[in-house]
Amino acid sequence: MSAVRENGVIVAIDGPSGAGKSSLTKLLAQRLGYIHIDTGAMFRAVALMARRAGIAVDDDARLAELCRGLEVSFVRDGENCRVLANGEDVSREIRTEEIGLLTSAISARKPVREALLTMQRAMGTKGGVILEGRDIGTVVFPDAEVKFFLSASAEERGRRRYLELAARGDQATLEETIAKVIQRDKQDEGREHAPLRQAEDALPIDSTTLSIDEVLAVMENAVRERLAQGDKG
Ligand SMILES: Nc1ncnc2c1ncn2[C@@H]1O[C@H](COP(=O)(O)OP(=O)(O)OP(=O)(O)O)[C@@H](O)[C@H]1O
Ligand SMILES: Nc1ccn([C@H]2C[C@H](O)[C@@H](COP(=O)(O)O)O2)c(=O)n1
């Protein structure tokens, strides 16, 4: 395990859709005074721009070109973070179920993964960051000082997503929402490049029956323990 970096440790939170990664990353970042990087939002921004440009999911040459000309950044907006694609605020537009499924397909393409890998490493390398995604602990920062693999049953993740959609007034049934969660799991776990899987040295957390506060306490303790070890870790 590497020493603590210039700004602190790197925390990797990986896991399937709806496990609670975004919620926990945001809260943990507030507790630690760390930067929060939502790598799923970066892939979503690529998918949105590809759809707008009419690029087919398997057109690697055009996807590579799109990524070369795309800058994804985050700006703080009170408690939240806005996602900018070439300076345009796309925070809301990237959050639809349709873009979520398209993102799952587009994020399987090699040129997209290569482009975002470079951006993610540049953002995180000094530490003091929490990155959430699917391959942070396995590919992006295999030397991250703290790694979590956050999961929950597909039924519970579907139920959480369904409640979120219902609160937004979106029309969807619980069964459909669970089916989409399972479809996304299959795509993310089954792809050739950087599939979703638990890093060997990650701490697994099953949040099916845990509250957000309970998960947060487990994560915060683990990070603080690692920080207390300092450069000896
Ligand atoms: N432990 C928990 N108990 C109850 N609800 C939870 C828990 N963790 C997260 N949630 C809720 O589940 C929903 C999905 O959480 P969140 O968006 O953080 O998941 P995610 O892993 O980031 O999903 P995705 O990868 O699809 O973006 C949110 O409405 C969130 O409030
Ligand atoms: N590091 C990452 C982050 C995300 N993805 C892909 C896989 C997901 O289905 C999609 C959307 O992610 P979400 O915003 O729901 O977390 O993006 C990935 O391949 N690697």
Side-chain angles (χ1 to χ4, degrees):
M1 204 181 264
S2 60
V4 173
R5 302 159 199 251
E6 203 175 321
N7 297 334
V9 293
I10 294 179
V11 181
I13 303 184
D14 290 306
S17 169
K21 300 181 301 296
S22 298
S23 315
L24 268 303
T25 303
K26 195 171 144 190
L27 291 169
L28 189 60
Q30 282 168 5
R31 288 274 174 100
L32 299 168
Y34 273 24
I35 291 168
H36 163 194
I37 300 173
D38 176 356
T39 63
M42 300 171 77
F43 284 99
R44 283 171 182 266
V46 173
L48 175 68
M49 292 312 197
R51 195 191 60 172
R52 282 190 192 169
I55 301 174
V57 167
D58 58 355
D59 189 340
D60 285 345
R62 288 192 69 200
L63 285 172
E65 192 192 341
L66 174 83
C67 289
R68 274 195 294 276
L70 182 63
E71 194 204 354
V72 184
S73 54
F74 298 95
V75 285
R76 177 121 353 131
D77 175 17
E79 296 239 305
N80 296 313
C81 210
R82 322 258 358 137
V83 185
L84 307 185
N86 288 340
E88 177 192 345
D89 186 348
V90 293
S91 314
R92 278 185 73 83
E93 231 182 314
I94 60 172
R95 292 293 162 200
T96 64
E97 289 291 283
E98 187 208 343
I99 290 294
L101 273 180
L102 179 65
T103 307
S104 178
I106 274 187
S107 64
R109 309 306 300 184
K110 199 171 177 204
V112 175
R113 297 219 73 84
E114 283 175 351
L116 292 200
L117 179 63
T118 307
M119 283 188 218
Q120 289 160 14
R121 285 192 175 151
M123 286 173 169
T125 194
K126 287 187 178 166
V129 288
I130 309 177
L131 295 103
E132 55 145 316
R134 302 293 188 287
D135 62 337
I136 307 301
T138 51
V139 175
V140 183
F141 285 112
D143 59 344
E145 287 76 19
V146 187
K147 300 180 188 178
F148 299 106
F149 192 82
L150 183 58
S151 63
S153 70
E155 290 70 26
E156 173 60 14
R157 290 184 285 118
R159 192 189 66 83
R160 291 174 187 171
R161 189 62 81 209
Y162 169 74
L163 293 177
E164 234 179 26
L165 294 172
R168 280 204 319 230
D170 287 4
Q171 302 290 325
T173 66
L174 177 59
E175 291 69 30
E176 273 166 15
T177 313
I178 294 173
K180 279 187 186 157
V181 160
I182 293 171
Q183 184 187 346
R184 191 115 79 91
D185 288 354
K186 269 198 194 135
Q187 284 181 190
D188 294 347
E189 288 165 2
R191 67 183 178 219
E192 184 187 352
H193 309 293
L196 167 67
R197 64 178 174 79
Q198 185 182 321
E200 278 177 14
D201 52 350
L203 176 67
I205 304 175
D206 182 342
S207 76
T208 309
T209 58
L210 298 178
S211 68
I212 291 180
D213 281 348
E214 286 170 324
V215 178
L216 180 62
V218 173
M219 289 184 166
E220 189 179 358
N221 282 341
V223 178
R224 293 208 186 276
E225 255 179 42
R226 177 61 187 85
L227 285 168
Q229 288 169 14
D231 287 349
K232 297 192 290 291

